[in-house]
DNA sequence: CGTCCTGTTATCGG
DNA sequence: GCCGATAACAGGAC
């Protein structure tokens, strides 16, 4: 589930918990998602302090020394902080103990996800071809990126992590709903005004979603996300929501508000 | 029991 | 090379 807004809210939660505290111990319950060898992982991190967090798309980096701990949550990841070992969450895969006795766990319900030590963030981003962060690009950069994706469906272009990173299945539905674009409209069929409108929707939806996540609040009333169901209705016009398939993933849209 | 869902990656055909 | 479709991965929720 974690897309850019969730990962950003993880980051905001991690900052006051995990930064500037000496790592006393690391307990690895399950190393399936750990891509750095266990021994090396513990040896590299124990005794260190995280000094800052950085995010690019759905990737989160906790920097220490000149290196980073990279977390990718895939579909079921989370992070949690606790003071009493009895409160260690279910599916905690890797647990950090800080010198002050606080704990911090990386949680993954399924075995999808990725945790590893990265020597050079920029090199990693290049190797993995992680696109520009969806919240960290200006309109001109966005237009250039969309020009390269012009033969794609709008929804597919938004979800292409190599084009721009951070947007997944659910938020792409919301962004297209707010922009009033039919998801299978090709990017090349959007005029300049529509592209600019799409850009504004990306920013607005992601920023709103970050606030919603951080405050644990509800989405605005005019959002389609809580209505992603064929038996539900459009919050704007009341039409029945439609479900469709795209690259073996399901999306939802309003057939009246998002015309072909 | 089967189906669904999520993100990424690989593979195939156009 | 780009694009879309599909499957694989995993397992909880229903």
């Amino acid at each position: 589930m974690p897309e850019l807004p969730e990962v950003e809210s993880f980051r905001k939660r991690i900052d006051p918990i995990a930064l500037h505290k000496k790592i006393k111990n690391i307990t690895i319950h399950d190393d399936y998602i750990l891509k750095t060898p266990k021994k090396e992982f513990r040896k590299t991190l124990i005794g260190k302090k995280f000094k800052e967090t950085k995010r690019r798309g759905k990737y989160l980096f906790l920097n220490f020394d000149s290196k980073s701990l990279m977390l990718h949550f895939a579909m079921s990841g989370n992070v949690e902080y606790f003071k009493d070992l009895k409160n260690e969450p279910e599916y905690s895969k890797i647990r950090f103990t800080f010198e002050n006795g606080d704990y911090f766990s990386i949680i993954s319900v399924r075995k999808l996800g990725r945790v590893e030590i990265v020597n050079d963030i920029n090199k990693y981003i290049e190797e993995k071809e992680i696109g520009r962060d969806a919240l960290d690009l200006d309109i001109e950069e966005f237009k250039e990126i969309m020009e390269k994706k012009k033969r794609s469906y709008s929804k597919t272009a938004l979800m292409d992590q190599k084009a721009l990173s951070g947007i997944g299945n659910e938020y792409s539905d919301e962004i297209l709903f707010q922009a009033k674009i039919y998801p299978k409209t090709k990017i090349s069929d959007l005029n300049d005004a529509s592209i600019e409108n799409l850009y504004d929707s990306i920013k607005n939806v992601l920023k709103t979603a970050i606030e919603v996540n951080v405050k644990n609040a509800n989405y605005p009333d005019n959002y389609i996300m809580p209505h992603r169901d064929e038996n539900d209705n459009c919050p704007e016009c009341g039409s029945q929501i439609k479900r469709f398939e795209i690259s073996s993933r399901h999306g939802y849209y309003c057939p009246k508000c998002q015309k072909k």
Side-chain angles (χ1 to χ4, degrees), chain A residues 192-241:
Chain A
D192 249 31
S194 292
I195 292 281
E196 283 164 21
N197 188 28
L198 180 58
Y199 173 80
D200 290 340
S201 295
I202 290 172
K203 298 260 165 170
N204 287 332
V205 167
L206 295 180
K207 281 181 188 166
T208 302
I210 289 168
E211 272 186 53
V212 165
N213 264 284
V214 170
K215 293 179 184 163
N216 202 14
N218 291 322
Y219 291 111
D221 290 341
N222 67 337
Y223 269 38
I224 197 175
M225 285 190 69
H227 307 277
R228 292 175 80 252
D229 187 319
E230 275 176 306
N231 299 314
D232 211 329
N233 299 312
C234 171
E236 289 280 6
C237 74
S239 301
Q240 189 162 19
I241 297 295

Side-chain angles (χ1 to χ4, degrees), chain A residues 32-64:
Chain A
Y32 192 91
I33 59 169
L34 183 60
K35 306 305 172 190
T36 302
K38 252 199 239 188
K39 252 188 166 172
E40 183 191 332
F41 186 79
R42 295 184 77 247
K43 198 181 154 198
T44 308
L45 280 166
I46 291 175
K48 303 291 167 54
K49 289 178 182 178
F50 295 120
K51 62 180 181 202
E52 61 176 347
T53 52
K54 294 268 182 196
R55 184 190 54 71
R56 173 135 169 164
K58 304 171 191 172
Y59 292 76
L60 188 58
F61 300 90
L62 285 77
N63 296 343
F64 64 98

Side-chain angles (χ1 to χ4, degrees), chain A residues 7-15 53-55 60:
Chain A
V7 178
E8 180 63 13
S9 83
F10 289 169
R11 195 183 73 76
K12 289 187 169 162
R13 246 163 60 209
I14 285 173
D15 276 359
T53 52
K54 294 268 182 196
R55 184 190 54 71
L60 188 58

Side-chain angles (χ1 to χ4, degrees), chain A residues 36 61 64 66-70 116-121 124:
Chain A
T36 302
F61 300 90
F64 64 98
S66 61
K67 301 181 179 183
S68 298
L69 169 64
M70 194 291 298
E116 66 185 309
I117 290 172
V118 168
N119 289 322
D120 183 327
I121 294 189
Y124 186 80

